[in-house]
Structures are given as C-alpha cells and as structure tokens.
Amino acid sequence: MEEDAQHEQASPEVQKRIQESFDRQGLMGHLGARISHIGPGRVHIVLPGRPEVTQQDGYFHAGATSAVADTAGGYAAFTLFPEDTAVLTVEYKVNLLAPAVGEYIEAVGTVLKPGRTLTVCRLEVFSVKDDQRKLVATGQQTLICVS
Amino acid sequence: MEEDAQHEQASPEVQKRIQESFDRQGLMGHLGARISHIGPGRVHIVLPGRPEVTQQDGYFHAGATSAVADTAGGYAAFTLFPEDTAVLTVEYKVNLLAPAVGEYIEAVGTVLKPGRTLTVCRLEVFSVKDDQRKLVATGQQTLICVS
Amino acid sequence: MEEDAQHEQASPEVQKRIQESFDRQGLMGHLGARISHIGPGRVHIVLPGRPEVTQQDGYFHAGATSAVADTAGGYAAFTLFPEDTAVLTVEYKVNLLAPAVGEYIEAVGTVLKPGRTLTVCRLEVFSVKDDQRKLVATGQQTLICVS
Amino acid sequence: MEEDAQHEQASPEVQKRIQESFDRQGLMGHLGARISHIGPGRVHIVLPGRPEVTQQDGYFHAGATSAVADTAGGYAAFTLFPEDTAVLTVEYKVNLLAPAVGEYIEAVGTVLKPGRTLTVCRLEVFSVKDDQRKLVATGQQTLICVS
C-alpha cells in the first residue's frame, strides 16, 4: 500500500456525493470511521482503534473490520455509478488473516469489474501500528446499482 | 423461525462462558446488541434498530447485520469447544437478501459441521417488524479453535 | 435428506426446459452427471464415482463436487424464471466439509430467496456409500436472470 | 497478466512434487487441463476449450472454470508446504465476471497469506481468444495443511 496522495482523486462532484452519503450512515459515525480517500473505483476508510470496536481479546472485532470493508467497497462501486442511482451490497466474503491491532485500520475497496447492473470489488483491510502496515483481512464483494 | 423457548439450552457453564466473553466485546455493547439464546451449537443475538446502526437510507447497515451474524456464528461454534480454547473467525460470506428495517434484527448462528480444528456455521439474520419475521441475510462461516 | 419421491415435482414444461438445457451442457455429460429431481425451486444432480472425477487421493475432486453443486443451484433458480430467460451464476461459495467418497454424490440446489433479477440458492452435496448419506459440501450461490 | 517466463520458478523438487500430484488427479486429465507454471506460492493451469467443458450456451462451464481455479490455488499453497504434508481445500468463493470463451482459459492461484495450518489464496481465471487475455473469474480460497 502506497500513500493516499499517490492515488488519483475522483471528481469534486463524485467526492461530494460519496461524502454526503457516508455522513448519513449512522453506523460509520457511531464507530468513529471516516473516509480517507475517494478515487475513481477506489475508496479508503479509516477506523481508529478504541474499546468500542473490539472483540473479547481487545482486537478489532471482525464485525467492525468487515463493516468498514463493506462500506469502502460499496462506495468504490458508487464512484462509477450514474447520478440518481443507489448502491446495495448483494453479498461479500471476507477472510480474517490476522488479529487486527494498532492505532487504526484502513479498509480499501477497489472495483475489479464494473458493470451496468452488478459490480465486483476487492476488499482489503490493513492495520497500522507504529507506522507498520499489515494486511489483516481480504475479501470480495458483489454490488448492485439500483435506480 | 420458532420461538426461542422451544430451543434446547446449553449447560449453565457454557452459557456463562459465552455470556462473559460476549460482555468483553466492546463492539457488541457499543452497538446495543445482546444475546437472546445460547443452545448447544446455536446462538441468537438481537440488535435493536436505532440511528447508530443504520446506513444512508435508514436501513440496518450491512456491517451491523454481519457483525451480529459473525458473532452469533462464532459463539455457536464456541459452545462446542473444549474449555481453555478460543474461537477465531477464519472467514465468512453473507448475502444481504432484503433491506433490513424494523424494531430489531435477530442473528442466528448454527453449527453445520463441528470439528476439532475447523467448524462451519450457517448464519441467518431476521428482521422483526410488527411481529413479522423476515429473513434479511444468510451466510456461511468458517471458525478455528485455538488453544 | 429424504427420498426424492417425497419432493414436489415441477410442471412437465419446466422439467422439459431444465432437462433440455442440462443435456446441452457438455461438461455434465462428460463428467457422467444426471438430474435426479426437478422440483419448483429445487434440483438434484447425481454424479457417480469413477476415476475421471477424482483428485490425487481418489476422493471426488472439489472441482467436480462444486461443478454439480453450481449446476443444481443454477437449475433450481431456473425452475422459477419466466420463459425466454436464461440463468447465469454470479458467484458462489462452497465449504468442503469432508472428503467425498462413495458410489455417488448428490448435489441439491434449493432457492432461498427468489428475485426478479437476483436469486440466492443454498447448495448441499451428499456422498452416498453403502446407503449412508453424508453431507460433504455446503454452499451459497447468487444467480442472475437475463433476457 | 504477464508471460509465464517472467515468473520465478519453484525448485525442481517442488515442481516434481506438484506435477506428480496433479498427474494423479483423474478430473484434471479427464478435462484436458495441464499445469503451465509452478512458482513459489503461484501455480497456473491451462484448460483448452472443447465441447466437453461447456455449459448450455457453449461457454466454459462455471464448474470447469472453478475446478481449475480451485486446483491452481491448492497447488499454489502446496508449493509452500513442508514435505510429507497434504493440502485440502477448506472453502472457496468465486465470482464469474464474464462468459468465458476462447482457445483456452488459464487459472492463476496465488498465495495471499501463507500459514502453518491455514493458507489463503487469490484465484483468477483468464480467457484467451485471438491473443486477447480477459479476466473472467476471480475468487478467494482457504486451504489447510494436513500431515
């Protein structure tokens, strides 16, 4: 994973559309998540570590990890959708590769295959601890564009 | 789905072990989730609807839905594990079948195939609105028993 | 799993449509698979054990197991589709629960959630050896109806 | 996808171990598949197009596509396993991105996360037609190392 600054930015209109939708997601605000990058077909979301997002051993809960992964993939697809459409997750699958600990995790959703009806995304989640970036989850997601 | 009362209860020791572990999960408390049933190889978790668990259109967020599904499956497996072991989610896949709205959702994790190392669970999430119960998500999960 | 005779049959028109499509599948004929039941939203496919469908240890190859599972689910969905449409697999996920050995395996595809565009099926594969039926694989599949 | 020649080769011992195991797979021979590359943590398998591997419309059958994908991922993991162990597929998920047509398909299995017990692979399948390479399926797979 490179620095965000190296990634292409989406148009201001698309960035605004994504950010406004994200701000309406009660869950993301409640978890403390924020968008860290919006590019064409690619969205990053950061979730800081704190007791409210942990499982029983103090790691990031798989549910929190996959909530931000699902959201990153959904908005990555949404950057490529026409105006006046909405995005819904059809399904996703995620492998938890390692316990996630650290200052924060960053979910990266990337469109693998855009489509008029269905879009497929890759989901990756990295933990960041003492400037060390580690892949802690990887997944695949199918989304549908609805009018 | 039948009423919980019809389901077999796990032993008091197992119920205590599961409940104590659940109570240490910061995320579940933060979301407002609670365990509604602990049976051998089967755990139910209820998540009340409120703005803190929604996506942009006011439905239950897929991330919240799958967080409780993942947790229900994890503890369903854990009911069958020996003492002094822990459970970790290896991976799961979930299909979101319908937008989830209502007073609450209930996730049901059921062991399909127990194993010494790996256990496979079925995940189901129902929304409950005006006493109507509707399947809103279905999934499959692999868990590992670690000493 | 009960005997097939206990399952409701699809209409003769639907049975004919499914069987004719199946007969055009080069892969199913080449593997030696045949349909053993066509009900509304449910299709069974039998694959006899023989060296041509094995992996390196003589078990049924996961690829053969999932090929018949995918086909059973696809046709289960197709039984509910309008005439003059086609079915395509969007994605599926399968857990291999146990090595599959025996006289034959039987894949059962069952519609969990029908839809105008997307249909979700449960996939189960049983091995049959000396009249013993054993669940060897379980999965979940998303299909799309195309005109 | 680059040419195979650019990929690092596994040691002769590992290549021999993989090829011998592959040659014992009745299904792969019956389908007409062959290994086209064995690198450390990466295996490619080619499946030529012919009527025996098609679905009802003459495309490569999703079952054939995923059989070679599963096999490529399994052997990719196996290249990293100690001697005197065996590999079993725990589960996999695959998205079929586009109908697969052409002279052949090539499945690429790549280890994303090696582990002592569990290994996670990325699965990709490309169709090749008139020298055009196209991603037709993408997936994710969990494998277990057994003694």
Side-chain angles (χ1 to χ4, degrees):
Chain A
M1 273 300 303
E2 323 80 337
E3 285 306 296
D4 296 349
Q6 302 178 0
H7 294 298
E8 192 188 346
Q9 301 288 320
S11 73
E13 291 72 26
V14 166
Q15 296 212 34
K16 185 164 177 287
R17 177 155 60 108
I18 302 289
Q19 186 66 54
E20 286 179 354
S21 174
F22 183 88
D23 292 343
R24 291 202 309 276
Q25 293 204 339
L27 180 67
M28 288 297 109
H30 190 54
L31 294 180
R34 60 178 178 78
I35 296 180
S36 54
H37 175 71
I38 303 172
R42 181 167 180 137
V43 166
H44 301 194
I45 295 178
V46 161
L47 179 69
R50 53 188 191 119
E52 285 85 351
V53 298
T54 55
Q55 43 85 282
Q56 67 278 9
D57 300 314
Y59 303 131
F60 282 87
H61 194 291
T65 302
S66 47
V68 289
D70 168 56
T71 305
Y75 284 126
F78 199 39
T79 62
L80 305 183
F81 284 8
E83 269 193 271
D84 296 319
T85 59
V87 60
L88 288 174
T89 300
V90 171
E91 60 83 38
Y92 69 91
K93 179 255 206 288
V94 65
N95 276 72
L96 289 316
L97 302 176
V101 286
E103 286 96 72
Y104 65 91
I105 55 175
E106 184 165 29
V108 176
T110 310
V111 172
L112 282 180
K113 172 72 167 56
R116 209 158 49 89
T117 306
L118 298 177
T119 290
V120 177
C121 284
R122 173 171 300 154
L123 308 177
E124 295 166 296
V125 185
F126 301 86
S127 66
V128 178
K129 190 182 177 185
D130 304 332
D131 277 332
Q132 294 265 12
R133 205 171 169 92
K134 181 181 177 184
L135 184 67
V136 294
T138 182
Q140 203 166 293
Q141 181 192 34
T142 310
L143 303 123
I144 191 164
C145 177
V146 292
S147 303
Chain B
M1 272 300 304
E2 323 81 332
E3 286 305 297
D4 296 349
Q6 303 178 358
H7 294 298
E8 191 187 347
Q9 301 288 320
S11 73
E13 292 72 26
V14 165
Q15 296 210 36
K16 185 164 177 285
R17 178 156 58 110
I18 303 289
Q19 187 66 54
E20 286 179 354
S21 174
F22 183 88
D23 292 343
R24 291 202 309 275
Q25 293 204 340
L27 180 66
M28 289 296 109
H30 190 54
L31 294 180
R34 60 178 179 78
I35 295 179
S36 53
H37 175 71
I38 303 171
R42 181 167 179 138
V43 166
H44 300 194
I45 295 177
V46 161
L47 178 69
R50 52 184 192 123
E52 285 83 353
V53 297
T54 55
Q55 43 84 284
Q56 68 278 9
D57 300 313
Y59 303 130
F60 282 87
H61 194 291
T65 302
S66 47
V68 289
D70 168 57
T71 306
Y75 284 125
F78 198 41
T79 63
L80 305 183
F81 285 8
E83 268 193 273
D84 296 318
T85 60
V87 60
L88 287 174
T89 301
V90 172
E91 60 84 37
Y92 69 93
K93 179 254 208 289
V94 65
N95 275 72
L96 288 316
L97 302 176
V101 286
E103 287 95 71
Y104 64 90
I105 56 175
E106 185 165 28
V108 176
T110 310
V111 172
L112 283 179
K113 171 73 167 58
R116 208 159 48 89
T117 305
L118 298 179
T119 290
V120 176
C121 284
R122 173 171 299 156
L123 309 177
E124 294 165 297
V125 184
F126 301 87
S127 66
V128 178
K129 190 181 175 185
D130 303 333
D131 277 330
Q132 294 264 12
R133 205 171 167 93
K134 182 181 176 183
L135 184 66
V136 294
T138 182
Q140 203 166 292
Q141 181 190 34
T142 310
L143 303 121
I144 191 164
C145 177
V146 292
S147 303
Chain C
M1 272 299 303
E2 323 80 336
E3 286 306 295
D4 295 350
Q6 302 177 358
H7 294 299
E8 192 187 347
Q9 301 288 319
S11 72
E13 292 71 29
V14 165
Q15 296 211 34
K16 185 164 176 284
R17 178 157 59 110
I18 302 289
Q19 187 66 55
E20 287 179 354
S21 174
F22 183 88
D23 292 344
R24 290 202 310 276
Q25 293 204 341
L27 180 67
M28 288 296 109
H30 189 54
L31 294 180
R34 61 178 178 77
I35 295 179
S36 53
H37 175 71
I38 303 172
R42 183 169 178 135
V43 165
H44 299 194
I45 295 177
V46 161
L47 178 68
R50 54 186 189 120
E52 285 84 352
V53 298
T54 55
Q55 43 83 282
Q56 67 278 8
D57 300 312
Y59 303 130
F60 282 86
H61 194 291
T65 302
S66 48
V68 289
D70 168 56
T71 306
Y75 284 126
F78 198 41
T79 62
L80 306 183
F81 284 7
E83 268 194 273
D84 296 318
T85 59
V87 60
L88 287 175
T89 300
V90 171
E91 61 83 38
Y92 69 92
K93 179 257 205 289
V94 65
N95 276 72
L96 289 316
L97 303 176
V101 285
E103 287 94 73
Y104 63 91
I105 55 175
E106 184 166 27
V108 176
T110 310
V111 172
L112 282 180
K113 172 70 168 57
R116 209 158 48 88
T117 305
L118 297 178
T119 290
V120 176
C121 284
R122 174 171 299 155
L123 308 177
E124 294 166 297
V125 185
F126 301 86
S127 66
V128 178
K129 189 181 177 186
D130 303 332
D131 277 330
Q132 294 265 11
R133 204 171 169 92
K134 181 180 176 183
L135 184 67
V136 295
T138 182
Q140 203 166 293
Q141 180 191 35
T142 310
L143 304 121
I144 191 165
C145 177
V146 292
S147 303
Chain D
M1 271 301 302
E2 323 80 334
E3 286 305 297
D4 295 350
Q6 303 178 358
H7 294 299
E8 193 188 346
Q9 301 288 319
S11 73
E13 292 71 26
V14 167
Q15 296 211 35
K16 184 163 177 287
R17 178 156 60 110
I18 302 289
Q19 186 66 55
E20 286 178 356
S21 175
F22 183 89
D23 292 344
R24 290 202 309 275
Q25 292 204 339
L27 181 67
M28 289 296 110
H30 189 54
L31 294 180
R34 62 178 177 78
I35 295 180
S36 53
H37 175 72
I38 303 171
R42 181 169 180 136
V43 165
H44 300 195
I45 295 178
V46 161
L47 179 69
R50 53 188 191 120
E52 285 85 351
V53 297
T54 56
Q55 43 84 282
Q56 67 277 8
D57 300 313
Y59 303 130
F60 282 87
H61 194 292
T65 301
S66 47
V68 290
D70 168 56
T71 306
Y75 285 126
F78 198 40
T79 62
L80 305 184
F81 285 7
E83 268 193 273
D84 296 317
T85 60
V87 59
L88 287 175
T89 300
V90 171
E91 61 82 38
Y92 68 92
K93 179 257 206 288
V94 65
N95 275 72
L96 289 315
L97 303 176
V101 285
E103 286 95 72
Y104 64 91
I105 55 175
E106 184 165 29
V108 177
T110 310
V111 173
L112 282 180
K113 171 72 167 57
R116 208 158 49 89
T117 305
L118 297 178
T119 291
V120 176
C121 284
R122 173 170 299 155
L123 309 177
E124 295 166 296
V125 184
F126 301 86
S127 67
V128 177
K129 189 180 177 185
D130 303 333
D131 277 331
Q132 294 266 10
R133 206 171 168 94
K134 182 181 176 182
L135 184 67
V136 295
T138 182
Q140 204 165 292
Q141 181 192 33
T142 309
L143 303 122
I144 191 164
C145 177
V146 292
S147 303

